[in-house]
Amino acid sequence: MKKLIFAFAVFLTFLPVYSQGGNPGDSCAASIPIGPGTHYVENINGEDYELNCSEYDASNGDLEWYIYTPNDDYLTTITSDLEANDGLDTRFHVYQGSCGDLSCVAGDDDSGDGYLSVTSFYVYAGESYYIAWDDRWENESFEFQLIEDYPPPVGPFGFTVENVSTVGSERGLVDMNNDKLDDLVSIQQTSINIHYQLEGGGFNPVSIGTSWADNTPSWSLAAGDFDGNGYNDLLYGGGSGVTFMQANSDGTSYTEISSGEYVFSQRSNFVDINNDGHLDAFVCHDVEPTVYYINDGEGNLQFFQGPNEEGVPSGIGGVELSLAPIGVDQEGGNYGSVWIDYDNDRDIDMFIAKCRGGDVQWKNNELWRNNGDGTFSNVADVTGWYNSYYPDGGHDNSSNLGDPIQTWSSAWGDFNNDGYLDVYVGASNTYDGEHKLMKNNGDGTFTDYTVSSGVLFQEPPYGIENNAADVDNDGYIDIFTDGDILLNNGDFTFTLYTAGVPGPGAIGDANNDGFVDMFNGTNLYLNDGNNNNWIKVTTTGTTSNINGIGARVEISSPGVGTQIRDVVSGSGFRYMSSLNTHFGIGSDSSVSSITVYWPSGTVDVINNPGINTTINITEGETLSLENSFIGEFVLYPNPVKNTLTISSALDLDQSIISVFDIAGRRVLNYKLADNINSIDVSRLSAGEYILRIITKEKLISSEKFIKQ
């Protein structure tokens, strides 16, 4: 690849002709023409433009304007990550269009070392690009470079860009009217703007006025139906607090509910934390322990922070302020949470991408294992802090994910189709390490495959957005990383593509063609598709939450084999992506089965579904698994006080053991391993229960026992 870098003097100047706009650099109309080389910003004092193209939604403030018109097609890099700028804090935006009607092309805040900025984007010969530096963080003089590279090869995929006439913070590609089609969602302080996807193609744009939102989604947006009325509600993660927008009974209006507590929100999620069938909410806190809102079953959300016997015993993501040991710093650095089932025990776990430079304890990523009894343990407790203060909590670093990588988000997916979720941890800078690709060993541990996968040496960009989806529908999940795509080669290696990539955004299917698209800013990137086949699955819970959030969807096809997806509300860092699950199956012409493992413990199986279509699955609609059995097994002692043992002639290793109360609610969940066929039932109240066994061969049997 030929690189064109021209060494210019620091005070490189051009002699432009200005028709309007006043002093050079003080407005879009008076933008200073630049080309490749080094340029000097002496003072940022020009006019603002409200469209923000960086990671943050905070006001741009004053801007200093430049215009760049390439003479060829390039991959262009703008960077202030230079030795001369050490210790400074910069931010910039790249626009395209006319000065009165600009749209975002790129932007960056902190992808360089420290708080410096760098990003790369595609440019095309003869088109003009406006580069605007702002004073959001400081107004010191600094240098920046513009570097032109000839574009790398275009990948085996393509996107067609469509401009979307919308306003606000464009954050969602998710179904908002319960028709199982993904809609475009953008937010303003007093409105929710939705482009409803039409079944026959296109959109119906509707702006729904709301009361004043105390907090806008300046950091993240999550969607989920927490009151179970069939229409998704929204969670706004703001810099000072959290606002819920609750949809009415027909989804045509919203009620604003703002939490009064201070929450410096980062990633937010809807998830059924306590597995009672009702969606709760979870929000990462930047400077304090994580917070969560427990649903009382009537759609009322109660605030909790850190461990709390009324919320989540043993805690998730930090220590409650009132419980923190004297002299111990409060936990923070919580950035990118995602709720997934990493250990295949059919309950939902949570990974937190951490970003706290310099702090030994709170900069380490955390993996909170669901113990199946209402408690969680950090199994990425690399410093031993949690184990020291909560020695009975089961905290350790057995997962091997307790890394100090400065990261804002992670991408989880089964990258080798072995039935276990792997993880790509994307670095936002290099202070504490590079990007990592960790392979799930299937025993609760992860092994570093970064080098052998080719990820590290291809230098994916540093930044905040990482997510996973099968962009080309070949049956292998790819990684969307900060505006580039790591395309899965099908052998746990990846090829980096930067040409024709849509950039970070919300992922979903915006035209119902079975290929994932991207929504970002005023641009909708529609996947051009190919000849690969696909299947899309939507989930409707009955006993579980109505969205099926937390469910595991598994499909099998002859050539590709087994693929898995978890239904997740809130992945990546800031955007809300589809709640539908998308599967590419390559050249396979059939799918043998779809299996859905619901949070309630219900299992549904659809045999021989059609392909290149959407399959809607309602919880409990099939009984194929429930009618099977493994033969005789014995529970003893029965009645039992503390430990219940399961005796069977069959090998029960890796079987899932679930315990249900007489109301049908799952109250315990275990995965048998190491030939230990006993479970702790001491936390259960006295009464009758049903124990169910699902073997790794998907055979089921149930038996009653009495807890004394």
Side-chain angles (χ1 to χ4, degrees):
M1 180 184 299
K2 182 179 179 182
K3 180 177 288 187
L4 306 178
I5 305 177
F6 299 90
F8 287 78
V10 169
F11 290 95
L12 178 70
T13 60
F14 291 78
L15 300 174
V17 177
Y18 300 100
S19 59
Q20 57 178 322
N23 295 326
D26 282 358
S27 68
C28 175
S31 296
I32 301 172
I34 61 172
T38 303
H39 309 279
Y40 185 73
V41 182
E42 184 174 9
N43 188 32
I44 300 176
N45 59 0
E47 69 178 21
D48 183 19
Y49 193 80
E50 65 178 29
L51 182 59
N52 190 318
C53 304
S54 75
E55 293 98 336
Y56 308 102
D57 284 341
S59 170
N60 295 339
D62 291 340
L63 297 172
E64 199 69 14
W65 292 84
Y66 301 84
I67 187 171
Y68 161 59
T69 306
N71 59 10
D72 203 347
D73 297 348
Y74 295 116
L75 177 66
T76 293
T77 299
I78 303 292
T79 179
S80 65
D81 191 3
L82 308 172
E83 186 175 352
N85 301 329
D86 187 42
L88 299 182
D89 192 350
T90 60
R91 188 172 78 162
F92 71 90
H93 317 265
V94 182
Y95 303 106
Q96 195 173 16
S98 61
C99 285
D101 186 22
L102 297 173
S103 60
C104 286
V105 174
D108 188 69
D109 194 342
D110 296 333
S111 295
D113 284 341
Y115 300 105
L116 297 171
S117 313
V118 59
T119 198
S120 301
F121 54 98
Y122 271 100
V123 299
Y124 302 95
E127 298 186 16
S128 293
Y129 301 84
Y130 296 91
I131 301 162
W133 296 88
D134 71 26
D135 66 349
R136 171 67 179 95
W137 304 115
E138 62 184 38
N139 190 0
E140 301 288 336
S141 60
F142 65 94
E143 301 173 10
F144 73 91
Q145 284 186 348
L146 188 153
I147 303 168
E148 293 177 334
D149 285 345
Y150 281 116
V154 176
F157 53 81
F159 291 85
T160 298
V161 184
E162 291 189 0
N163 184 264
V164 180
S165 180
T166 189
V167 293
S169 175
E170 293 79 19
R171 290 298 181 85
L173 184 51
V174 63
D175 177 24
M176 294 298 292
N177 59 350
N178 200 25
D179 63 357
K180 308 302 184 183
L181 299 175
D182 292 326
D183 308 308
L184 312 182
V185 182
S186 62
I187 306 299
Q188 293 180 288
Q189 200 123 32
T190 57
S191 67
I192 299 172
N193 307 300
I194 305 174
H195 280 61
Y196 292 106
Q197 185 180 164
L198 300 175
E199 187 173 357
F203 299 92
N204 175 31
V206 176
S207 181
I208 302 174
T210 68
S211 57
W212 182 271
D214 291 345
N215 307 284
T216 59
S218 55
W219 292 94
S220 67
L221 178 74
D225 183 6
F226 69 80
D227 59 359
N229 70 352
Y231 293 91
N232 278 327
D233 315 296
L234 297 175
L235 185 166
Y236 299 174
S240 299
V242 176
T243 288
F244 297 94
M245 285 291 179
Q246 185 175 14
N248 70 348
S249 59
D250 60 4
T252 58
S253 66
Y254 292 83
T255 300
E256 187 261 354
I257 305 170
S258 291
S259 169
E261 296 81 10
Y262 168 69
V263 183
F264 189 171
S265 310
Q266 303 295 309
R267 177 71 264 177
S268 54
N269 319 93
F270 279 111
V271 60
D272 185 359
I273 297 173
N274 58 357
N275 200 40
D276 64 354
H278 306 287
L279 275 186
D280 313 301
F282 181 87
V283 183
C284 283
H285 201 316
D286 190 349
V287 296
E288 292 180 5
T290 59
V291 304
Y292 49 102
Y293 301 80
I294 298 298
N295 194 327
D296 67 356
E298 301 294 329
N300 304 305
L301 300 171
Q302 183 179 359
F303 174 89
F304 294 96
Q305 186 170 24
N308 191 303
E309 290 297 328
E310 297 179 79
V312 180
S314 82
I316 39 177
V319 180
E320 187 183 12
L321 299 181
S322 63
L323 299 180
I326 297 176
V328 175
D329 292 335
Q330 305 302 336
E331 199 252 356
N334 306 294
Y335 273 51
S337 52
V338 59
W339 292 78
I340 37 77
D341 180 13
Y342 82 94
D343 53 0
N344 285 10
D345 62 357
R346 309 307 179 210
D347 53 32
I348 204 74
D349 315 293
M350 189 263 292
F351 180 81
I352 301 181
K354 306 280 284 194
C355 191
R356 173 71 66 90
D359 190 295
V360 174
Q361 172 57 41
W362 306 128
K363 69 181 180 180
N364 291 285
N365 301 319
E366 298 176 0
L367 178 62
W368 289 84
R369 181 189 65 211
N370 191 328
N371 298 321
D373 60 0
T375 67
F376 292 78
S377 300
N378 180 14
V379 290
D381 183 27
V382 67
T383 67
W385 191 94
Y386 285 99
N387 186 56
S388 296
Y389 288 102
Y390 298 92
D392 298 326
H395 307 296
D396 54 42
N397 190 35
S398 57
S399 69
N400 197 35
L401 291 184
D403 295 305
I405 299 171
Q406 296 298 290
T407 178
W408 290 47
S409 63
S410 58
W412 286 79
D414 183 9
F415 300 125
N416 58 350
N417 289 351
D418 68 348
Y420 289 90
L421 292 175
D422 315 297
V423 59
Y424 172 82
V425 183
S428 58
N429 60 53
T430 60
Y431 273 6
D432 289 298
E434 305 274 357
H435 312 291
K436 292 188 76 172
L437 181 67
M438 304 295 288
K439 178 181 176 296
N440 192 329
N441 299 318
D443 59 0
T445 69
F446 292 77
T447 299
D448 191 343
Y449 272 68
T450 307
V451 174
S452 62
S453 68
V455 167
L456 185 60
F457 298 109
Q458 298 181 78
E459 298 183 353
Y462 302 102
I464 70 174
E465 285 291 345
N466 300 281
N467 217 327
D470 187 356
V471 67
D472 57 354
N473 278 355
D474 67 346
Y476 294 93
I477 297 181
D478 311 299
I479 301 170
F480 291 74
T481 176
D482 297 302
D484 290 351
I485 289 179
L486 285 162
L487 197 70
N488 194 332
N489 299 320
D491 58 358
F492 218 72
T493 68
F494 295 80
T495 300
L496 180 68
Y497 288 99
T498 58
V501 178
I507 300 172
D509 187 356
N511 56 358
N512 201 30
D513 67 349
F515 287 81
V516 294
D517 311 303
M518 183 85 71
F519 178 49
N520 183 359
T522 57
N523 292 324
L524 174 62
Y525 297 84
L526 293 174
N527 195 323
D528 294 336
N530 53 38
N531 292 324
N532 285 335
N533 296 315
W534 54 272
I535 193 168
K536 182 165 57 176
V537 178
T538 67
T539 50
T540 301
T542 53
T543 304
S544 304
N545 66 88
I546 196 169
N547 303 93
I549 293 170
R552 164 67 56 85
V553 182
E554 177 183 294
I555 75 165
S556 297
S557 63
V560 176
T562 298
Q563 299 183 63
I564 59 175
R565 304 284 191 273
D566 285 350
V567 183
V568 173
S569 172
S571 56
F573 180 75
R574 68 187 305 188
Y575 302 98
M576 178 61 209
S577 295
S578 177
L579 289 171
N580 302 328
T581 53
H582 298 75
F583 299 86
I585 57 173
S587 60
D588 285 358
S589 59
S590 65
V591 169
S592 57
S593 65
I594 303 171
T595 304
V596 181
Y597 299 93
W598 299 89
S600 67
T602 299
V603 182
D604 280 301
V605 178
I606 306 295
N607 292 312
N608 302 311
I611 64 171
N612 299 329
T613 190
T614 299
I615 305 297
N616 303 303
I617 300 179
T618 300
E619 182 177 9
E621 70 178 70
T622 70
L623 297 174
S624 55
L625 277 183
E626 297 293 347
N627 288 334
S628 61
F629 59 94
I630 64 171
E632 294 294 328
F633 70 94
V634 177
L635 302 178
Y636 67 92
N638 190 5
V640 59
K641 289 185 177 181
N642 298 312
T643 302
L644 185 67
T645 299
I646 306 160
S647 176
S648 175
L650 298 181
D651 180 12
L652 300 182
D653 187 56
Q654 304 303 306
S655 294
I656 305 299
I657 306 298
S658 299
V659 176
F660 302 85
D661 62 19
I662 57 175
R665 179 191 173 190
R666 188 172 66 178
V667 293
L668 287 179
N669 202 68
Y670 291 93
K671 186 177 183 180
L672 298 180
D674 301 324
N675 295 315
I676 300 175
N677 293 355
S678 59
I679 61 173
D680 182 3
V681 297
S682 60
R683 292 175 59 91
L684 297 178
S685 302
E688 292 186 353
Y689 295 89
I690 299 293
L691 182 144
R692 189 190 66 186
I693 301 176
I694 304 180
T695 71
K696 54 187 177 181
E697 291 81 17
K698 300 182 181 180
L699 299 177
I700 289 183
S701 189
S702 301
E703 188 66 55
K704 182 184 295 185
F705 72 92
I706 298 173
K707 169 66 170 62
Q708 294 180 322

